[in-house]
Amino acid sequence: MSPELKTQITGIDPEKIRIDFPILGRKVHNKPLVYFDNAATTQKPQVVIDALVNYYTGLNSNVHRGVHYLSQQATVAFEEVRQKIQRFVNARFSHEIIYTRGCTESINLVAASWGRANIGPGDEILISGMEHHSNIVPWQMLCEEKGAALKVCPLHPDGSLDMQAYADMLGEKTRMVAITHISNTLGTVNPVKEITRMAHEKGITVLIDGAQALSHMKVDVQDIGCDFYAFSAHKVYGPMGIGGLYGREEVLNAMPPYQGGGEMIKNVTFEKTLYNELPFKFEAGTPNVGDVIGFGAAIDYISGIGLDQIGAWEHELLAYATEKLSADPLVRIIGTAPGKASLISFLINGIHPYDAGTIIDHMGIAVRTGTHCTQPLMDSLGISGTIRASFAFYNTKQEIDRLMEAIDKVKEFFL
Amino acid sequence: MKIEETTSAIVSEFENFDDWMDKYNYLIELGKSLPLIDEKYKVEANLIQGCQSRVWLHAEFDGNLIYFTADSDAVITKGIANLLIRSFSGQTPQDILDSSTDFLNDIGLTEHLSPTRSNGMLSMIKQIKMYALAFKTKAAMGN
């Protein structure tokens, strides 16, 4: 079904949607797959898989260089996706979108390039207690190199950001605020517009880690006002290994390049190299053209369905799962901030998440167990990990019922 | 008993199970019956850090044989530790170094061998072999 037809559907019919995702038809451990690990990566619709195949079947060539037909066609397709992403996140210009390998590389790019030029001894970088390792370690490395300090804004017990503490921590020495839009472990949606406004009032640069957000809600980088917004395609139904960094034109222009190589240069002599303009200044080497085109297909696909519709159905799933899990006296939900995104972390009293996850897996259900790459958050909560079910718009309430049956099975095994 | 005799006995035990549920029930039983490690050995230095569950492994060498004790915060991991201890504890460093861990594939625990699972099983095996090598070297130097 084409994306155009989908716009006529009011409300999400997951049974129809599921047909678009071939992997959802497979079995795991001889049981129909229930895929609840969407916060780790989302599955890919056939249109994305087709876009990849079609690119390598009929369009593959290097971009921006050749005068030959294929190279020009590939370049056009590659740059069209940049404009598509620009519209998707509502950036002012398409050259404010830098292609990267994913959200992690986007944050590393900012830490390396912006950090090199703007961070010095005694400066402070402010993150939050719910950050993914990707939004901790690059800053730690920068702080070590520059003699700067990493500060961590605490959370309330429900998993929401302590905004009073945040206000207090924005100090004279703070140069960068790097905070996630949505917590991959707790589901907390942070007030990123407010966070940005408060930082900007003090002249502090803001990066938002959007890895978890793009698939669930309409993201408008101009409305948020942030200087950087990092994201991955594979969490938005696109291919792995491709993502992007939105950066405000003025900020990007003032930054030194990230990596050196082809594509990012205007003119090279052995004495001096003139760097290319945005966005190419930050895109050294042959880019991942095929996956960019796959990302474009993913954006078309979910835009066709509509993020409002997607968000509404996912919230219905979250409400249903929360109701079911809350009814179980042995289940403890971790992260209860109001207005959460569609993921739910929980523990079953007396059962290690690894033990529970192993049995749930054998029931054909893919959940994530462990620390979810947020070890400091786990430490602060005093737990060694959680079981996490994260929902996408192709999930159903029947699948949540199967999770509840699996939890009963876990209890039979261990209690 | 030689290591291979123990491991083939383990393989035979697991062959009796028709489905995964019986197999895991047995592993859980083994986990619960793992002789507890002396609390004084549940220290940072004995901790094998996995992504999902924590495992403590302690080794003692009497000059001839190595004795292992272990614990984990996850029961399935404890069950696996039990199998490893049953196979390798009370053996000489050389026998441990020469032994194969293929039996873990044969009993269908390959999913726990995947490095991405990081449940400590691979690290446990590696640590057991490391202890064997260290004690072998120590014994050789003592001579």
Side-chain angles (χ1 to χ4, degrees):
Chain A
M1 196 186 294
S2 75
E4 287 73 28
L5 282 172
K6 286 239 165 58
T7 55
Q8 296 166 11
I9 300 168
T10 52
I12 295 276
D13 180 351
E15 292 309 329
K16 284 204 178 111
I17 298 276
R18 291 174 74 83
I19 298 166
D20 297 339
F21 291 81
I23 204 170
L24 297 177
R26 71 160 286 174
K27 288 187 168 186
V28 165
H29 295 302
N30 291 320
K31 297 173 188 74
L33 167 69
V34 173
Y35 188 76
F36 282 164
D37 198 15
N38 295 288
T41 195
T42 53
Q43 296 302 346
K44 320 305 172 197
Q46 189 65 51
V47 286
V48 169
I49 300 165
D50 288 346
L52 291 173
V53 172
N54 291 340
Y55 170 75
Y56 286 110
T57 311
L59 202 57
N60 177 53
S61 56
N62 212 330
V63 290
H64 300 138
R65 291 175 178 80
V67 291
H68 61 82
Y69 181 83
L70 278 183
S71 174
Q72 288 184 3
Q73 291 295 301
T75 306
V76 167
F78 183 76
E79 290 304 326
E80 270 177 3
V81 174
R82 203 189 298 274
Q83 289 164 12
K84 216 168 259 183
I85 299 169
Q86 175 210 342
R87 290 191 295 272
F88 191 62
V89 300
N90 195 32
R92 272 180 309 165
F93 311 110
S94 66
H95 60 252
E96 291 182 319
I97 305 298
I98 314 292
Y99 289 129
T100 65
R101 283 189 294 135
C103 194
T104 299
E105 188 179 45
S106 298
I107 297 170
N108 275 279
L109 187 160
V110 176
S113 167
W114 180 90
R116 196 191 313 156
N118 293 284
I119 295 294
D123 286 345
E124 291 178 3
I125 294 165
L126 180 58
I127 63 171
S128 87
M130 68 178 91
E131 299 308 314
H132 188 281
H133 295 164
S134 307
N135 201 27
I136 301 172
V137 184
W139 305 115
Q140 253 171 357
M141 290 162 64
L142 176 64
C143 285
E144 268 179 36
E145 189 186 318
K146 296 286 188 175
L150 189 67
K151 299 284 171 181
V152 184
C153 180
L155 313 182
H156 290 301
D158 68 354
S160 58
L161 196 68
D162 183 340
M163 289 300 283
Q164 186 55 54
Y166 173 70
D168 295 342
M169 292 180 86
L170 292 171
E172 290 286 301
K173 295 174 179 171
T174 315
R175 296 285 169 268
M176 163 65 80
V177 165
I179 282 182
T180 192
H181 197 160
I182 295 179
S183 158
N184 70 310
T185 303
L186 304 170
T188 308
V189 181
N190 282 318
V192 286
K193 191 174 176 179
E194 179 76 354
I195 285 168
T196 303
R197 188 188 58 75
M198 289 163 72
H200 279 180
E201 274 174 10
K202 300 200 167 183
I204 301 163
T205 305
V206 177
L207 176 141
I208 303 297
D209 171 354
Q212 294 295 332
L214 233 50
S215 61
H216 300 299
M217 56 166 67
K218 177 73 194 148
V219 169
D220 183 332
V221 291
Q222 289 189 74
D223 181 55
I224 296 168
C226 55
D227 302 287
F228 300 106
Y229 195 94
F231 51 92
S232 291
H234 76 97
K235 293 192 200 283
V236 200
Y237 310 98
M240 287 185 169
I242 190 73
L245 172 71
Y246 156 78
R248 279 200 305 122
E249 184 189 50
E250 309 84 284
V251 186
L252 289 175
N253 270 328
M255 282 159 59
Y258 175 43
Q259 296 173 325
E263 188 90 356
M264 54 77 74
I265 45 86
K266 219 172 221 165
N267 189 44
V268 178
T269 66
F270 284 117
E271 288 71 38
K272 175 78 187 162
T273 292
L274 271 181
Y275 301 128
N276 208 335
E277 58 208 24
L278 292 176
F280 311 112
K281 180 170 101 174
F282 293 104
E283 295 178 355
T286 292
N288 185 351
V289 184
D291 287 328
V292 162
I293 286 162
F295 190 14
I299 290 176
D300 285 343
Y301 177 78
I302 57 170
S303 301
I305 293 165
L307 276 164
D308 291 346
Q309 303 274 13
I310 288 173
W313 177 242
E314 287 176 346
H315 274 99
E316 206 172 319
L317 289 172
L318 178 69
Y320 186 75
T322 306
E323 184 197 323
K324 292 279 173 183
L325 287 166
S326 305
D328 187 328
L330 290 178
V331 169
R332 177 177 151 213
I333 294 172
I334 309 292
T336 51
K340 270 172 56 174
S342 65
L343 67 88
I344 189 160
S345 258
F346 61 96
L347 288 168
I348 310 168
N349 276 352
I351 303 174
H352 194 280
Y354 177 76
D355 288 331
T358 303
I359 301 305
I360 294 172
D361 169 53
H362 275 274
M363 303 293 285
I365 303 170
V367 291
R368 180 81 176 262
T369 58
T371 63
H372 319 296
C373 296
T374 54
Q375 272 183 30
L377 172 62
M378 294 293 125
D379 291 343
S380 71
L381 294 168
I383 55 181
S384 62
T386 73
I387 306 157
R388 181 188 70 188
S390 50
F391 310 116
F393 62 101
Y394 43 62
N395 289 127
T396 66
K397 290 182 182 176
Q398 288 82 355
E399 289 181 308
I400 293 170
D401 292 338
R402 273 190 55 198
L403 174 64
M404 297 312 298
E405 287 165 24
I407 290 171
D408 286 339
K409 184 64 91 183
V410 168
K411 288 190 274 187
E412 276 176 40
F413 267 98
F414 296 100
L415 296 180
Chain B
M1 197 183 270
K2 284 192 171 157
I3 295 177
E4 286 124 62
E5 287 168 14
T6 312
T7 56
S8 47
I10 290 172
V11 172
S12 316
E13 284 164 25
F14 275 82
E15 272 167 0
N16 294 327
F17 302 125
D18 294 331
D19 68 9
W20 68 274
M21 285 195 271
D22 293 338
K23 190 167 82 184
Y24 275 96
N25 271 323
Y26 184 56
L27 260 185
I28 291 162
E29 204 181 294
L30 290 175
K32 287 178 176 166
S33 66
L34 180 72
L36 285 181
I37 194 171
D38 196 318
E39 278 300 314
K40 71 179 175 195
Y41 297 130
K42 275 174 82 169
V43 291
E44 195 73 27
N46 283 333
L47 192 61
I48 299 173
Q49 202 94 39
C51 182
Q52 305 236 349
S53 57
R54 292 187 298 169
V55 182
W56 294 266
L57 181 72
H58 174 68
E60 271 176 56
F61 184 49
D62 68 3
N64 181 33
L65 305 175
I66 310 179
Y67 298 93
F68 293 103
T69 49
D71 198 6
S72 172
D73 50 2
V75 180
I76 291 173
T77 311
K78 272 174 84 168
I80 294 165
N82 192 331
L83 293 176
L84 295 177
I85 285 174
R86 198 173 133 197
S87 307
F88 300 114
S89 194
Q91 303 291 337
T92 66
Q94 192 59 54
D95 285 346
I96 293 170
L97 287 170
D98 292 343
S99 65
S100 152
T101 49
D102 286 352
F103 74 102
L104 295 163
N105 283 315
D106 299 338
I107 60 177
L109 287 177
T110 43
E111 66 220 53
H112 297 280
L113 279 167
S114 145
T116 55
R117 279 282 185 159
S118 303
N119 71 339
M121 176 143 141
L122 273 182
S123 314
M124 260 191 281
I125 294 169
K126 204 169 147 193
Q127 197 63 32
I128 285 171
K129 298 252 179 185
M130 292 269 283
Y131 273 120
L133 187 64
F135 287 132
K136 184 191 161 190
T137 313
K138 195 178 163 191
M141 284 169 72
N143 293 337

